[in-house]
Amino acid sequence: MREAGEAAISVKRDDLLPGLHGGTKVRKLDLLLASPPFDTAAGWVSMGAIGSGHVLGLAEAARERGVPLTAYLFDEPYGPHVEENLAALASCGKRLGAALRLVFVGSRAGLLLRPPWPLLRRTIGGAAVVPPGATLPRAMVGTVLGGLELARQIDAGELEPPDRIYLPVGTGGTAVGIALGLGLGGRPIPVHAVAVVEHLLLPARRLRALEGLLRRELAALGTPGLEGLEAAPLVLRRGYLGRGYGHVTPEGLAACAALADPGARLALEPIYTGKAAAALLEDARAGATRRPLLWNTHRGVLPAPEPGWREHLPPALRGHLAHPGRGRRRFLVTAGVGAAGLLGAGRLACTGRRPGFGDGSLTAREATIFAAAVQALLPPAPIEELVDRIVAAADAYVATFPQGRRLEVHGMLFAVEQAPLLEGHLSRFSELPLPEASAYLAALRARPDLLGDAGRGLRDLCLLATYTRPEIWEAIGYTGPWEQRPLDAPPPLEARRGPYADYADLRASEGESPEGWS
């Protein structure tokens, strides 16, 4: 318990959790790694910054379980905390040997643009992919248990009920799970989640999507009390990030110093918990909270690193650390940068491959994406035979394009397939249930950026392939675009004037539009 003005500050100390050096990651990895496919996988693949506590904890778990781990690392501003974690990871690598493979990809964009595209896949060569922060529904159940644990501690009188809970939020799983756990425990205390990543990586809709996935996971596990349950209010706080992910702020450093307790071996770090602590102290000084609780998601004290630990880092990372200012790219999450990467990797795998395709313009994987779009766009969805015929029509049409245009189609399909992963979903487009796929395409088409162009282009290609095939019209309930007038009657005089007079007979009646067009 610490004092700040008139506020009495409590700290939930996940740094004291046993195993994997402590930290909230223990709650998530404990359940996830004991569940399929991670419990029987031939190996694990994950990713994080060079100072990632998540990657370090997973490496320790791999050492304990004897499971090979490949970790893709991206750059972040170098400092004492980053060096401590990186030294511990390299020391773990010395003990694991070849069972721990570290790959330095440069910037965060490298996770998306560099084969084997670990950010976008669920398995790589038989190894199961653990996403950043282990934010999957089963892992998030562990943070629900954390919220329940705090509720029980309050019920037992171990601490006064806080009026606000503060914690850092990166991928979102911890904050969402704790808020739902507090709701289940009957203690709906507002959770102030302080963003430590850029706005585009953590839109508010991602938190809502994660809560929906978590509720379905809990229901599948038979959790009682979910019907009509309201989670604790989750308040997403921005404005404490500083220059970007991984950058320390003066306020965060000051908060770490103010709340440090050497006697209790409590030490915050400035990249995550320090920023949450800065928001807490600001609110406390303004009188907005009297009994705040800081949830310390940070790890515990690390053992001394192995001598010569840098020699166990990949050569590219060693060279980068020797010249930290060289080649560092600013990470911009924009549709333009994304589109450039999409065009360069337009044939990236999706989950399934549609049989019968791959010899023409569309690969079997791209045909799967296109078929999912057709079913999502056409009301009612056509039977499977018609889907293949529509995809075949699109394939034949794209074959007439020049090479540059065909590359754009490949990039368009890639963009639509992978974009849900950046929109709060944990599935690609072709894996979404039909109602979600339809809603996703509608939202994508409304965007003003290049991703919106991709959504609109896919819609146009789907409808062109459908409505130019009269044999499909009856099956989907479309009566055709022809005007209802005798064939021998001349078109109206106004239709025979101007440059489009030859197309007068093809005009739809006023107000009509093709099915699926919006």
Side-chain angles (χ1 to χ4, degrees), residues 127-151:
V129 175
V130 182
T135 298
L136 288 172
R138 181 55 58 91
M140 290 162 61
V141 172
T143 61
V144 172
L145 296 176
L148 281 168
E149 178 183 287
L150 180 63

PDB file of all heavy atoms in Angstrom, residues 127-151:
ATOM      1  N   ALA A 127       4.807 -26.681 -36.242  1.00  0.00           N
ATOM      2  CA  ALA A 127       4.889 -25.978 -34.958  1.00  0.00           C
ATOM      3  C   ALA A 127       3.674 -25.067 -34.803  1.00  0.00           C
ATOM      4  O   ALA A 127       3.239 -24.429 -35.762  1.00  0.00           O
ATOM      5  CB  ALA A 127       6.172 -25.154 -34.875  1.00  0.00           C
ATOM      6  N   ALA A 128       3.114 -25.011 -33.607  1.00  0.00           N
ATOM      7  CA  ALA A 128       1.941 -24.176 -33.329  1.00  0.00           C
ATOM      8  C   ALA A 128       2.389 -22.751 -33.033  1.00  0.00           C
ATOM      9  O   ALA A 128       3.348 -22.534 -32.283  1.00  0.00           O
ATOM     10  CB  ALA A 128       1.164 -24.737 -32.151  1.00  0.00           C
ATOM     11  N   VAL A 129       1.686 -21.780 -33.610  1.00  0.00           N
ATOM     12  CA  VAL A 129       2.050 -20.366 -33.462  1.00  0.00           C
ATOM     13  C   VAL A 129       1.331 -19.777 -32.252  1.00  0.00           C
ATOM     14  O   VAL A 129       0.099 -19.828 -32.161  1.00  0.00           O
ATOM     15  CB  VAL A 129       1.685 -19.575 -34.726  1.00  0.00           C
ATOM     16  CG1 VAL A 129       1.956 -18.089 -34.516  1.00  0.00           C
ATOM     17  CG2 VAL A 129       2.485 -20.091 -35.926  1.00  0.00           C
ATOM     18  N   VAL A 130       2.096 -19.233 -31.328  1.00  0.00           N
ATOM     19  CA  VAL A 130       1.557 -18.483 -30.191  1.00  0.00           C
ATOM     20  C   VAL A 130       1.586 -17.015 -30.585  1.00  0.00           C
ATOM     21  O   VAL A 130       2.664 -16.448 -30.773  1.00  0.00           O
ATOM     22  CB  VAL A 130       2.387 -18.713 -28.915  1.00  0.00           C
ATOM     23  CG1 VAL A 130       1.783 -17.957 -27.739  1.00  0.00           C
ATOM     24  CG2 VAL A 130       2.493 -20.204 -28.601  1.00  0.00           C
ATOM     25  N   PRO A 131       0.437 -16.345 -30.727  1.00  0.00           N
ATOM     26  CA  PRO A 131       0.431 -14.962 -31.212  1.00  0.00           C
ATOM     27  C   PRO A 131       1.026 -14.010 -30.183  1.00  0.00           C
ATOM     28  O   PRO A 131       1.264 -14.387 -29.020  1.00  0.00           O
ATOM     29  CB  PRO A 131      -1.060 -14.689 -31.434  1.00  0.00           C
ATOM     30  CG  PRO A 131      -1.761 -15.611 -30.500  1.00  0.00           C
ATOM     31  CD  PRO A 131      -0.921 -16.852 -30.441  1.00  0.00           C
ATOM     32  N   PRO A 132       1.280 -12.768 -30.564  1.00  0.00           N
ATOM     33  CA  PRO A 132       1.833 -11.793 -29.618  1.00  0.00           C
ATOM     34  C   PRO A 132       0.994 -11.709 -28.346  1.00  0.00           C
ATOM     35  O   PRO A 132      -0.233 -11.620 -28.396  1.00  0.00           O
ATOM     36  CB  PRO A 132       1.778 -10.479 -30.400  1.00  0.00           C
ATOM     37  CG  PRO A 132       1.843 -10.894 -31.831  1.00  0.00           C
ATOM     38  CD  PRO A 132       1.107 -12.190 -31.916  1.00  0.00           C
ATOM     39  N   GLY A 133       1.667 -11.749 -27.212  1.00  0.00           N
ATOM     40  CA  GLY A 133       0.967 -11.676 -25.935  1.00  0.00           C
ATOM     41  C   GLY A 133       0.131 -12.899 -25.613  1.00  0.00           C
ATOM     42  O   GLY A 133      -0.611 -12.902 -24.628  1.00  0.00           O
ATOM     43  N   ALA A 134       0.235 -13.967 -26.433  1.00  0.00           N
ATOM     44  CA  ALA A 134      -0.573 -15.179 -26.241  1.00  0.00           C
ATOM     45  C   ALA A 134      -2.067 -14.851 -26.164  1.00  0.00           C
ATOM     46  O   ALA A 134      -2.812 -15.481 -25.430  1.00  0.00           O
ATOM     47  CB  ALA A 134      -0.131 -15.947 -24.994  1.00  0.00           C
ATOM     48  N   THR A 135      -2.491 -13.856 -26.945  1.00  0.00           N
ATOM     49  CA  THR A 135      -3.884 -13.428 -26.876  1.00  0.00           C
ATOM     50  C   THR A 135      -4.749 -14.329 -27.746  1.00  0.00           C
ATOM     51  O   THR A 135      -5.016 -14.031 -28.917  1.00  0.00           O
ATOM     52  CB  THR A 135      -4.019 -11.953 -27.269  1.00  0.00           C
ATOM     53  OG1 THR A 135      -3.272 -11.177 -26.332  1.00  0.00           O
ATOM     54  CG2 THR A 135      -5.467 -11.492 -27.235  1.00  0.00           C
ATOM     55  N   LEU A 136      -5.143 -15.448 -27.165  1.00  0.00           N
ATOM     56  CA  LEU A 136      -6.096 -16.388 -27.721  1.00  0.00           C
ATOM     57  C   LEU A 136      -7.151 -16.653 -26.651  1.00  0.00           C
ATOM     58  O   LEU A 136      -6.879 -16.497 -25.451  1.00  0.00           O
ATOM     59  CB  LEU A 136      -5.414 -17.691 -28.123  1.00  0.00           C
ATOM     60  CG  LEU A 136      -4.521 -17.639 -29.375  1.00  0.00           C
ATOM     61  CD1 LEU A 136      -3.763 -18.935 -29.545  1.00  0.00           C
ATOM     62  CD2 LEU A 136      -5.346 -17.340 -30.624  1.00  0.00           C
ATOM     63  N   PRO A 137      -8.373 -17.063 -27.037  1.00  0.00           N
ATOM     64  CA  PRO A 137      -9.435 -17.231 -26.042  1.00  0.00           C
ATOM     65  C   PRO A 137      -9.057 -18.126 -24.870  1.00  0.00           C
ATOM     66  O   PRO A 137      -9.340 -17.797 -23.712  1.00  0.00           O
ATOM     67  CB  PRO A 137     -10.587 -17.820 -26.859  1.00  0.00           C
ATOM     68  CG  PRO A 137     -10.385 -17.252 -28.227  1.00  0.00           C
ATOM     69  CD  PRO A 137      -8.897 -17.207 -28.417  1.00  0.00           C
ATOM     70  N   ARG A 138      -8.402 -19.275 -25.123  1.00  0.00           N
ATOM     71  CA  ARG A 138      -8.068 -20.158 -24.000  1.00  0.00           C
ATOM     72  C   ARG A 138      -7.073 -19.506 -23.055  1.00  0.00           C
ATOM     73  O   ARG A 138      -7.184 -19.649 -21.823  1.00  0.00           O
ATOM     74  CB  ARG A 138      -7.519 -21.484 -24.543  1.00  0.00           C
ATOM     75  CG  ARG A 138      -7.154 -22.506 -23.463  1.00  0.00           C
ATOM     76  CD  ARG A 138      -8.317 -22.808 -22.517  1.00  0.00           C
ATOM     77  NE  ARG A 138      -9.487 -23.301 -23.208  1.00  0.00           N
ATOM     78  CZ  ARG A 138      -9.741 -24.599 -23.434  1.00  0.00           C
ATOM     79  NH1 ARG A 138      -8.895 -25.520 -23.031  1.00  0.00           N
ATOM     80  NH2 ARG A 138     -10.847 -24.950 -24.050  1.00  0.00           N
ATOM     81  N   ALA A 139      -6.111 -18.764 -23.589  1.00  0.00           N
ATOM     82  CA  ALA A 139      -5.156 -18.073 -22.722  1.00  0.00           C
ATOM     83  C   ALA A 139      -5.848 -16.986 -21.906  1.00  0.00           C
ATOM     84  O   ALA A 139      -5.527 -16.765 -20.735  1.00  0.00           O
ATOM     85  CB  ALA A 139      -4.034 -17.469 -23.562  1.00  0.00           C
ATOM     86  N   MET A 140      -6.810 -16.304 -22.510  1.00  0.00           N
ATOM     87  CA  MET A 140      -7.508 -15.228 -21.818  1.00  0.00           C
ATOM     88  C   MET A 140      -8.334 -15.754 -20.648  1.00  0.00           C
ATOM     89  O   MET A 140      -8.623 -15.002 -19.710  1.00  0.00           O
ATOM     90  CB  MET A 140      -8.395 -14.475 -22.801  1.00  0.00           C
ATOM     91  CG  MET A 140      -7.595 -13.659 -23.816  1.00  0.00           C
ATOM     92  SD  MET A 140      -8.580 -13.204 -25.273  1.00  0.00           S
ATOM     93  CE  MET A 140      -9.862 -12.229 -24.500  1.00  0.00           C
ATOM     94  N   VAL A 141      -8.713 -17.026 -20.678  1.00  0.00           N
ATOM     95  CA  VAL A 141      -9.425 -17.609 -19.532  1.00  0.00           C
ATOM     96  C   VAL A 141      -8.563 -17.483 -18.278  1.00  0.00           C
ATOM     97  O   VAL A 141      -9.073 -17.285 -17.164  1.00  0.00           O
ATOM     98  CB  VAL A 141      -9.793 -19.073 -19.815  1.00  0.00           C
ATOM     99  CG1 VAL A 141     -10.366 -19.749 -18.569  1.00  0.00           C
ATOM    100  CG2 VAL A 141     -10.812 -19.164 -20.959  1.00  0.00           C
ATOM    101  N   GLY A 142      -7.244 -17.570 -18.435  1.00  0.00           N
ATOM    102  CA  GLY A 142      -6.361 -17.411 -17.281  1.00  0.00           C
ATOM    103  C   GLY A 142      -6.460 -16.041 -16.659  1.00  0.00           C
ATOM    104  O   GLY A 142      -6.381 -15.892 -15.425  1.00  0.00           O
ATOM    105  N   THR A 143      -6.673 -15.002 -17.472  1.00  0.00           N
ATOM    106  CA  THR A 143      -6.822 -13.667 -16.899  1.00  0.00           C
ATOM    107  C   THR A 143      -8.214 -13.477 -16.305  1.00  0.00           C
ATOM    108  O   THR A 143      -8.383 -12.669 -15.388  1.00  0.00           O
ATOM    109  CB  THR A 143      -6.528 -12.586 -17.957  1.00  0.00           C
ATOM    110  OG1 THR A 143      -7.455 -12.698 -19.034  1.00  0.00           O
ATOM    111  CG2 THR A 143      -5.125 -12.749 -18.513  1.00  0.00           C
ATOM    112  N   VAL A 144      -9.204 -14.201 -16.825  1.00  0.00           N
ATOM    113  CA  VAL A 144     -10.524 -14.210 -16.165  1.00  0.00           C
ATOM    114  C   VAL A 144     -10.375 -14.744 -14.748  1.00  0.00           C
ATOM    115  O   VAL A 144     -10.928 -14.185 -13.782  1.00  0.00           O
ATOM    116  CB  VAL A 144     -11.528 -15.074 -16.960  1.00  0.00           C
ATOM    117  CG1 VAL A 144     -12.830 -15.237 -16.177  1.00  0.00           C
ATOM    118  CG2 VAL A 144     -11.819 -14.445 -18.312  1.00  0.00           C
ATOM    119  N   LEU A 145      -9.605 -15.813 -14.600  1.00  0.00           N
ATOM    120  CA  LEU A 145      -9.361 -16.357 -13.260  1.00  0.00           C
ATOM    121  C   LEU A 145      -8.626 -15.340 -12.391  1.00  0.00           C
ATOM    122  O   LEU A 145      -8.840 -15.299 -11.170  1.00  0.00           O
ATOM    123  CB  LEU A 145      -8.552 -17.649 -13.370  1.00  0.00           C
ATOM    124  CG  LEU A 145      -9.250 -18.816 -14.095  1.00  0.00           C
ATOM    125  CD1 LEU A 145      -8.314 -20.010 -14.217  1.00  0.00           C
ATOM    126  CD2 LEU A 145     -10.519 -19.213 -13.358  1.00  0.00           C
ATOM    127  N   GLY A 146      -7.778 -14.520 -13.006  1.00  0.00           N
ATOM    128  CA  GLY A 146      -7.120 -13.467 -12.246  1.00  0.00           C
ATOM    129  C   GLY A 146      -8.111 -12.448 -11.716  1.00  0.00           C
ATOM    130  O   GLY A 146      -8.017 -12.002 -10.564  1.00  0.00           O
ATOM    131  N   GLY A 147      -9.089 -12.054 -12.551  1.00  0.00           N
ATOM    132  CA  GLY A 147     -10.125 -11.135 -12.090  1.00  0.00           C
ATOM    133  C   GLY A 147     -10.957 -11.735 -10.973  1.00  0.00           C
ATOM    134  O   GLY A 147     -11.293 -11.063  -9.981  1.00  0.00           O
ATOM    135  N   LEU A 148     -11.294 -13.029 -11.106  1.00  0.00           N
ATOM    136  CA  LEU A 148     -12.022 -13.722 -10.034  1.00  0.00           C
ATOM    137  C   LEU A 148     -11.193 -13.781  -8.764  1.00  0.00           C
ATOM    138  O   LEU A 148     -11.724 -13.634  -7.654  1.00  0.00           O
ATOM    139  CB  LEU A 148     -12.386 -15.140 -10.489  1.00  0.00           C
ATOM    140  CG  LEU A 148     -13.588 -15.270 -11.421  1.00  0.00           C
ATOM    141  CD1 LEU A 148     -13.640 -16.684 -12.009  1.00  0.00           C
ATOM    142  CD2 LEU A 148     -14.882 -14.981 -10.656  1.00  0.00           C
ATOM    143  N   GLU A 149      -9.892 -13.992  -8.917  1.00  0.00           N
ATOM    144  CA  GLU A 149      -9.005 -14.056  -7.751  1.00  0.00           C
ATOM    145  C   GLU A 149      -9.026 -12.746  -6.977  1.00  0.00           C
ATOM    146  O   GLU A 149      -9.128 -12.744  -5.735  1.00  0.00           O
ATOM    147  CB  GLU A 149      -7.588 -14.362  -8.234  1.00  0.00           C
ATOM    148  CG  GLU A 149      -6.535 -14.417  -7.145  1.00  0.00           C
ATOM    149  CD  GLU A 149      -5.162 -14.665  -7.747  1.00  0.00           C
ATOM    150  OE1 GLU A 149      -4.900 -15.801  -8.183  1.00  0.00           O
ATOM    151  OE2 GLU A 149      -4.358 -13.697  -7.795  1.00  0.00           O
ATOM    152  N   LEU A 150      -8.959 -11.628  -7.695  1.00  0.00           N
ATOM    153  CA  LEU A 150      -8.996 -10.340  -7.009  1.00  0.00           C
ATOM    154  C   LEU A 150     -10.352 -10.133  -6.327  1.00  0.00           C
ATOM    155  O   LEU A 150     -10.416  -9.628  -5.192  1.00  0.00           O
ATOM    156  CB  LEU A 150      -8.725  -9.207  -7.998  1.00  0.00           C
ATOM    157  CG  LEU A 150      -8.731  -7.800  -7.399  1.00  0.00           C
ATOM    158  CD1 LEU A 150      -7.615  -7.644  -6.374  1.00  0.00           C
ATOM    159  CD2 LEU A 150      -8.598  -6.737  -8.488  1.00  0.00           C
ATOM    160  N   ALA A 151     -11.438 -10.512  -6.995  1.00  0.00           N
ATOM    161  CA  ALA A 151     -12.765 -10.378  -6.383  1.00  0.00           C
ATOM    162  C   ALA A 151     -12.847 -11.177  -5.092  1.00  0.00           C
ATOM    163  O   ALA A 151     -13.404 -10.710  -4.079  1.00  0.00           O
ATOM    164  CB  ALA A 151     -13.838 -10.834  -7.368  1.00  0.00           C
TER     165      ALA A 151
END
